[in-house]
Amino acid sequence: MKRVFGAVAAIAVAMVVMTAGAQQPAPLAAAVGGNVNHVPSFVGVEKGIFLKHGIDLKLKVLGTGQEMAKALQAGEVQIIGSAFSNYPVAVERGMAAKGVVGMLGDRTARHSDAPISVWTRKGTGITRIEELAGRKVGLPVGGTSDEYLAVLLAKKGVARDKVTFLNVPPGNLLSTLQNGSVDAAAVWEPIGTMIQAKIPDAVLLARGGGHISYFINMAVRTDVIDKSPDVVERYVIGVAEASQYTRKNPDEAAEIATRWVSGLDAAIAKQALRHVTFDPRITPHTIAAWDENVRTLVEQKKLRAPLAWQQGIDMRFIEKVMKSHPQLFSDLKPAP
């Protein structure tokens, strides 16, 4: 039976490749996060969507945007997930890549931060964000949850240096909060949902609220854009189709995610996906969000000077795909 299944699978893959143009699929490697922010990439690979469009996509699953940037600069990948909270910093430091298609974030508004949350435990005495002054908070320093919490603290009149930020890898945040090594943790999904499910005395201090623009685009190395624009376009089509499949089949997408995200079970994945929006469009709101994030990064002294959005985004591919494949966007809300 296994041999029969294998033969059928081989024939199916061969047929997919033939529909992509009777040629060998173009190999690409993408660095993505080991979280639910990149589920369409997992779905696109497992369901053969990228292959259908002539892209043999390999995924390198990493913990943070900074690790992804290093992988691209080292030549290990040609594509990375680029969160606005840290990607402009990489561009300022010389990264030669541009976002060509959206992955995470509601592109119908400037602010989209529902996947970010801040947690503490009963017994810490902390009930509000401003009570983090003088306390230890675990988070990936320089990541999106860092930017989010810094903005919240500023809005509450608490200087960043009044809080001790401990650089904790995403995979260790749950245990670090659980064992009391930190008083609170700022996280993205699925870690927030894991904390809620696995720490009985967990207390939610904040989630989302429209404070920052948590957008992730998929950025392609500029030499690939220049030399193989047709390949980039096919990749963008694949992301758009995989994103729509994820939106329409969230439970199946959650099951797929469990095979890519360490320690993730299906129940938590399904709950975590409720906080996440997958939209491949790059809209005026996305551009405005870039500018706002850049201003925030300058204020937080992570960027030396403002960066124009054109230095980190190339809209021509997604604009072309939206015209050539409108059906892949038909279920999305209009972006005013």
Side-chain angles (χ1 to χ4, degrees), residues 110-114 148 151-152 155 207-213 292:
R110 181 181 300 185
H111 296 121
S112 180
D113 53 13
Y148 174 79
V151 169
L152 282 186
K155 288 184 175 182
R207 175 184 285 283
H211 299 288
I212 67 168
S213 306
E292 183 176 275

Side-chain angles (χ1 to χ4, degrees), residues 148-168:
Y148 174 79
L149 182 53
V151 169
L152 282 186
L153 290 169
K155 288 184 175 182
K156 298 296 183 180
V158 179
R160 182 184 176 90
D161 60 8
K162 297 296 182 182
V163 179
T164 299
F165 288 84
L166 299 182
N167 190 18
V168 180

Side-chain angles (χ1 to χ4, degrees), residues 173-257:
L173 281 165
L174 188 150
S175 60
T176 301
L177 180 63
Q178 194 170 35
N179 65 28
S181 298
V182 296
D183 301 303
V187 302
W188 49 70
E189 289 298 336
I191 304 168
T193 299
M194 287 180 173
I195 288 173
Q196 184 177 23
K198 298 185 177 183
I199 302 181
D201 61 348
V203 177
L204 179 64
L205 294 176
R207 175 184 285 283
H211 299 288
I212 67 168
S213 306
Y214 187 19
F215 291 116
I216 294 177
N217 290 336
M218 299 308 294
V220 179
R221 227 169 51 196
T222 53
D223 64 325
V224 177
I225 292 174
D226 294 339
K227 295 176 182 177
S228 305
D230 60 318
V231 172
V232 177
E233 182 180 338
R234 283 185 274 134
Y235 169 72
V236 170
I237 296 170
V239 171
E241 184 172 336
S243 296
Q244 186 180 68
Y245 191 96
T246 300
R247 294 192 300 270
K248 290 187 173 183
N249 303 277
D251 287 351
E252 182 185 358
E255 292 281 354
I256 290 173

Side-chain angles (χ1 to χ4, degrees), residues 316-335:
R316 60 182 152 149
F317 297 100
I318 187 60
E319 288 180 340
K320 184 177 180 180
V321 170
M322 287 176 67
K323 292 177 181 178
S324 63
H325 294 73
Q327 72 279 8
L328 300 180
F329 308 86
S330 60
D331 60 309
L332 290 168
K333 296 182 297 182

Side-chain angles (χ1 to χ4, degrees), residues 9 46 52 63 95 112 142 152 167 192 210 257 259 273 277 280 294 313 328:
E46 287 210 11
K52 180 176 74 171
M95 175 179 292
S112 180
L152 282 186
N167 190 18
R259 296 191 281 274
L273 284 179
T277 300
V294 163
I313 299 174
L328 300 180

Side-chain angles (χ1 to χ4, degrees), residues 95-135:
M95 175 179 292
K98 290 188 177 182
V100 297
V101 61
M103 176 61 62
L104 175 75
D106 179 359
R107 308 301 171 113
T108 66
R110 181 181 300 185
H111 296 121
S112 180
D113 53 13
I116 307 298
S117 53
V118 183
W119 297 82
T120 186
R121 304 177 323 279
K122 292 178 181 177
T124 62
I126 301 170
T127 59
R128 300 175 297 166
I129 289 293
E130 50 266 47
E131 292 172 347
L132 293 175
R135 301 302 191 100

